Amino acid sequence: MKTHSKRKELIMLPLLLVAILLCIGGHFILQPSFQESNIAEYSLAALPFLLFAIVIIAIRMAIKAEQQEDS
């Protein structure tokens, strides 16, 4: 039976915090005062791609940590 490694989860905490900040920032940009801003529109359009990139990074980190644990 394998022991649970907390290190793998702690490594991913910064990614989780970045994802949370991106979601909060996206909701902040949706305010009516930013509706006429092109930068806000581009930022909101890029948000799903940034979150998807974070998911890919997290998966790669998890695979790497699993391989290191098996070695």
Side-chain angles (χ1 to χ4, degrees):
M1 184 174 178
K2 285 185 177 181
T3 59
H4 182 71
S5 175
K6 292 181 183 178
R7 182 180 176 272
K8 288 191 294 186
E9 294 175 9
L10 290 175
I11 288 174
M12 293 198 191
L13 264 178
L15 290 177
L16 174 65
L17 294 175
V18 168
I20 290 170
L21 289 175
L22 285 173
C23 290
I24 292 171
H27 282 87
F28 179 74
I29 292 175
L30 283 172
Q31 291 180 353
S33 60
F34 293 114
Q35 282 184 348
E36 300 299 322
S37 173
N38 288 335
I39 295 173
E41 184 178 345
Y42 296 139
S43 299
L44 287 171
L47 190 61
F49 297 107
L50 291 172
L51 290 171
F52 188 68
I54 289 174
V55 169
I56 291 173
I57 291 169
I59 290 172
R60 287 186 179 184
M61 288 174 66
I63 291 170
K64 184 179 176 182
E66 190 71 29
Q67 287 174 348
Q68 288 177 352
E69 188 176 284
D70 289 342
S71 309

